[in-house]
Amino acid sequence: MPVQPLGAEALCLHTDPARLGFRSTDDVPDIDSAMGQDRAIAAIEFGVGIRREGYNLYVAGPTGIGRRTLVDHLLARHAGERGEPSDWCYVNNFDDPSRPRALELPAGRGVQLKRDMEKLIERMLVTVPNVFRGDEYRRRITDIQEEYQDREAKLFSELNDAARGKGMVVIRTPGGYTIGPVRDGKLMTPAQFNELSREDQDQAKGVIDELNHRLKSIIESIHGWQEESVERVKAVDDEFIHDIIDPMMAALKSRYQVYPAVLAFLDAAHQDMAENVWDFLPNEPQEGNVPLRKKIFAAEHLRYHVNVLVDHDGECCVPVLYEDNPTLQNVLGRVEHIAQMGTLLTNFSLIKPGALHRANGGYLVLDARKVLLNSFVWDALKRAIRSREIRIESVERILGMVSTTSLEPEPIPLDLKIVLVGDRYLYHLLKHYDPEFGLYFKVVADFADAIDRSPEATGLYARIIATLARREKARALSAGGVARVIDRSARSAEDAAKLSLHIGDLVDLVVQSDFWAGREGSALIEARHVDQAVAQHLFRNNRYQELLAEQIHRGVMLLATDGAEVGQINGLSVIQLGDYSFGRPSRITATARLGSGKLVDIERETDLGGPLHSKGVMILGSLLARRYAQSQPLALSASIVFEQSYGRVDGDSASMAELVALLSAIAGIPIRQDLAMTGSVNQLGEMQAIGGVNDKIEGFFDVCAARGLTGTQGVVIPRSNVQHLMLKPEVVEAARAGKFHVHAVGSVDEALELFTGLPAGAPREDGGFEAGSVNERVRERLHELAELGRRHAGNDHQGAEAKP
């Protein structure tokens, strides 16, 4: 029975607006769940709910399908169930400033501790100068100083009295003390002393030695008193210091008595302040005019400050964070440096948080592709998961190129779920090539691309459209507009029985349709506005498609749409340019001659054919041998090529067209040029489904329409692809008017009958086919070639024997 063209109703499954049950989306309620993503939702709920190591998530699916939106929604819902997050701070390590200490505090207490320490410094800056320059402190110190000055004066007075009684005098000089005899109340000069008799000189020297000995004893006593004085002054200082600091610290410690780490920091700060209290006194008189707030942040006081790394003040649930730029520093944090006199310096206050710090206790969402594109991030992320701590690392330290003083902050314990968002291909690459990936990301949430186009699903899809229109602040859609959007979704899914779940494309279509409705001044988005949005989108992207069509129309690229030729057929392929694709018809030719059974794929021989295309050509050789040469050699040499193809060819969707062209070349039977064909073939001669069927049909239709439809032109597709047809209205109307046809076939025999107008021929018991059929003519020709091959082989053998 001849293959009949498909009816117009089979070429596009339209949604009936009347069956939607509403006038516009104003009458349709919002939908608060992700339609068709039950599997992904269950996986995310499981991954979030299980509190075990390694159960982080990988969310797989194409970009724009709504992964982030759904993940954010589900994580935000679970965030409230995990309680309040913690604040994290870094403070100075007074024992080793290069290793700052980390403090964990309840939400809001980190900032409070920072303010308390600033107030403490402020009070110290005010109190210390007032106390140590006050009358009480000065009186106490003066009393000590005067006491020892009186002692010293008394001893020297006694020494002077003893010296005068013996005719001597004690004089204080810049270099110390001088003792010598006197005459007439004045110190003798050396000349006068020399005038004395030897006896008087010896007596004077004896007295001087005695007084020197006594002077030495006095000086030793004075040194002892000075040390004693210093200790007494220090004791007074300590008394005043503790009177100042102890009450302040006691009040501060009472607020944080339940936090041992904070108390340890306050104890260390307490001791350091006591030892360095003079840092709170202005060094120069003009410093008294410096604003107090500025003094608080002076370099000598920074060691008492608190660096609040993460502040969750006012937050009632754990964080849900998405890091858009996951560099090493943005993920792990960093230690900044400041330039001072040509040297880079740093301290704990220059430690900055990363995404792991900010999301700690909650959930961190990362784009898998961006993580892998940023150097060192993937390995650093795995180290953090493995060690369950956040250790700040710089690229310089990782590479061993550190040349400046840096810090080694105390690691912070890590407790969070990491959610990687990426496509399926990347997931499987990581699963295959990284043995640690499966240990740390044990849960995959795979987003569905499409759902079945049932009446219930259509109703839910209408609610999605209504929800998106309101979210994007677009006009409401009429029932006709919704129906057209649903039809377009089926076309995007490349299946009349499916609806695409690509929310990004759906939003774009609604927004663009709203634009054209606004341009027209319409209150609702109607079907015509959706059609215009689709048409304008195609117009913005189809420049290359039009250039190819122009080349065909001008005869630069050879393509026949009428008549019949031997060994020549119109094949169909799809060109993908980003998110835009279109069908391109191409001429396929085949030649056949006597040979050794080799089927030459010219595309492969020139390295332009991909492995799938080569596989399809190899299947043709197997099919020829099985079908026509089971009892004889396949004495054939054939070649197949896509004419005027200058790029890479891959896929097996043209293998049925290649087979028909090859059989035509073998049998010498012309085949119709007003038909094009797409579909793959297996070794049994069965037609198999292919992708891009709508683009391919429309590609050939556009060429035929440009040249003028004759009523005989059409496309042959696999019968299994009929369910995928969602053709544009022009094709449907041409088919309804009988000007263009779409034929669905299931085998090579049906295709042969369509293209040749001859019966394909059923097989006979003797291995032949019906007389006059295409298959019989192919078999006969192959038999002739086999006989020719044997004769040539015999002649060659006889010639070899006759050679002397």
Side-chain angles (χ1 to χ4, degrees), residues 98 119 197 236 461 463 496 726:
S98 67
K119 289 179 181 177
S197 66
V236 173
Y461 210 82
R463 291 180 61 187
M726 286 295 296

Side-chain angles (χ1 to χ4, degrees), residues 89 144 178 238 259 268 309 356 362 385 461 585 739 747:
C89 309
I144 294 173
T178 298
D238 289 343
Y259 309 114
L309 201 68
L356 289 177
I385 296 173
Y461 210 82
K739 295 181 179 180
S747 67

Side-chain angles (χ1 to χ4, degrees), residues 667-793:
I669 300 175
I671 53 179
R672 294 172 59 181
Q673 300 299 297
D674 55 357
L675 294 178
M677 181 161 59
T678 182
S680 68
V681 65
N682 60 24
Q683 294 186 110
L684 303 179
E686 298 170 327
M687 188 82 142
Q688 299 175 144
I690 44 80
V693 64
N694 293 294
D695 286 335
K696 292 175 179 179
I697 293 173
E698 292 171 0
F700 189 67
F701 171 81
D702 290 341
V703 172
C704 295
R707 292 180 174 178
L709 297 175
T710 62
T712 63
Q713 295 153 333
V715 174
V716 181
I717 65 171
R719 187 169 289 120
S720 52
N721 274 123
V722 173
Q723 59 189 316
H724 304 141
L725 294 179
M726 286 295 296
L727 295 170
K728 60 184 181 180
E730 296 93 322
V731 181
V732 176
E733 292 305 317
R736 182 175 285 113
K739 295 181 179 180
F740 191 80
H741 310 285
V742 178
H743 305 273
V745 300
S747 67
V748 63
D749 289 338
E750 292 178 306
L752 287 172
E753 291 181 356
L754 262 176
F755 275 90
T756 64
L758 301 173
R764 299 194 306 259
E765 293 182 0
D766 61 0
F769 296 89
E770 295 177 2
S773 65
V774 177
N775 284 326
E776 180 61 16
R777 292 176 63 173
V778 172
R779 190 194 67 80
E780 289 175 352
R781 179 56 180 162
L782 290 176
H783 180 72
E784 292 175 6
L785 293 176
E787 289 296 327
L788 285 172
R790 278 193 289 269
R791 286 202 295 272
H792 281 292

Side-chain angles (χ1 to χ4, degrees), residues 7 68 75 150 155 236 255 278 360 397 521 559 569 580 737:
R68 277 283 316 283
L75 294 184
D150 290 344
L155 289 177
V236 173
R255 302 176 194 172
W278 310 115
N360 202 12
R397 185 175 296 276
L559 188 77
I569 195 170
Y580 179 71

Side-chain angles (χ1 to χ4, degrees), residues 6 15 64 68 99-100 122 179 209 214 307 332 353 393 555 578 654 686 706 742 797:
L6 298 175
T15 302
R68 277 283 316 283
R99 298 175 181 271
E122 182 178 353
I179 301 176
D209 288 341
R214 188 170 178 180
N307 179 6
L332 290 186
E393 298 176 291
E686 298 170 327
V742 178
H797 180 67

